[in-house]
Amino acid sequence: MTIRFDATGAIARIQRICDTLEIADPAEEPPALSPDEPGHPDYHHRQRVEHARRVLARVTPLRYRSATSDRPEVVAWVEAAVASWRSRATSEPVPVPSLLLYGPTGTGKTFAGFGALRRVAEAGLPRFGAEFASWPELLAQLRPGSGEEREQGLRRLMDAPWLLLDDLGRAKDSAWTEEILYRLVNHRYNVMLPTIITTNVPLKQFTAVFGDAPGGRLIEMTAGGRVAVTGEDRRLVR
Ligand SMILES: Nc1ncnc2c1ncn2[C@@H]1O[C@H](COP(=O)(O)OP(=O)(O)OP(=O)(O)O)[C@@H](O)[C@H]1O
Ligand SMILES: [Mg+2]
């Protein structure tokens, strides 16, 4: 028996099936999506920004909820860090620089740090996440914990996509604090995750105060973003 194909009839039948199922001709332009619809880049950008704002609100202490920073060095760092973060998804990722805000007490370092983080959040990055840790507070929390609790607390900060490490150096130093700092900094240094650091310690004293290994890494990580926050103690001049 010979089977004969009737090409014209077959195509007509396929066309009828496509019409019935409302399957569009792939050669035709898909209907334009509105910016409010899933699938439109603007829609997904807005979703990412809203997610980032929620993450930031969760980790930001009340005093710094409305912190902003339009310092040119902070703006430049955010632009560079955001561009490097986006490059992580490409075949040629570049290291994401960290930011160092240093200067005397009360000049606005923590405020500027949250301002920087807010700018990052507003960029609508993929895989945004953030943690905040005050260094003396962190040590006080880790010290009495069991080995496992300590490990979990530290790992959360080690792996945070963006970390604001506040008041570094404002704690009594010991071999144990240096080891904690080394583990935190070394991990973030290795996987090149961005850290915003505030401190009263001058850069020249980093290795002496933090230890050679953590101090040297901090210097290298922040080479692309160091801001001297100067002026009067804002708490006293009100
Ligand atoms: N640019 C700013 N505009 C308005 N208020 C600010 C600004 N910068 C800082 N402040 C306010 O000044 C006070 C001190 O700021 P902040 O806590 O950031 O100082 P700091 O340098 O981190 O101090 P410390 O070294 O003691 O941690 C806070 O009340 C903060 O809200
Ligand atoms: Mg501070």
Side-chain angles (χ1 to χ4, degrees), residues 63-64 67-69 71 103-113 166-167 170 198-200 229 233-235 238:
R63 180 166 296 279
Y64 300 102
T68 53
S69 182
R71 288 168 188 271
T105 296
T107 47
K109 301 179 295 296
T110 306
F111 193 92
D166 196 33
D167 254 341
R170 192 172 294 184
T198 79
T199 186
N200 290 338
V229 185
D233 185 334
R234 286 174 175 266
R235 297 191 185 102
R238 279 161 196 254

Side-chain angles (χ1 to χ4, degrees), residues 145-157:
S146 69
E148 199 182 316
E149 283 165 347
R150 197 178 294 168
E151 206 49 37
Q152 275 179 5
L154 193 57
R155 277 242 75 99
R156 188 170 52 84
L157 303 181

Side-chain angles (χ1 to χ4, degrees), residues 20-81:
T20 311
L21 298 177
E22 294 180 356
I23 297 170
D25 179 348
E28 269 177 29
E29 282 285 307
L33 288 167
S34 97
D36 295 331
E37 279 180 286
H40 193 287
D42 289 2
Y43 172 88
H44 294 287
H45 176 79
R46 265 201 319 279
Q47 295 280 312
R48 288 194 298 271
V49 171
E50 279 165 25
H51 166 75
R53 285 180 185 157
R54 281 195 297 275
V55 169
L56 201 53
R58 181 176 55 76
V59 301
T60 307
L62 194 54
R63 180 166 296 279
Y64 300 102
R65 284 278 160 90
S66 54
T68 53
S69 182
D70 50 14
R71 288 168 188 271
E73 311 100 302
V74 168
V75 174
W77 172 79
V78 171
E79 276 172 15

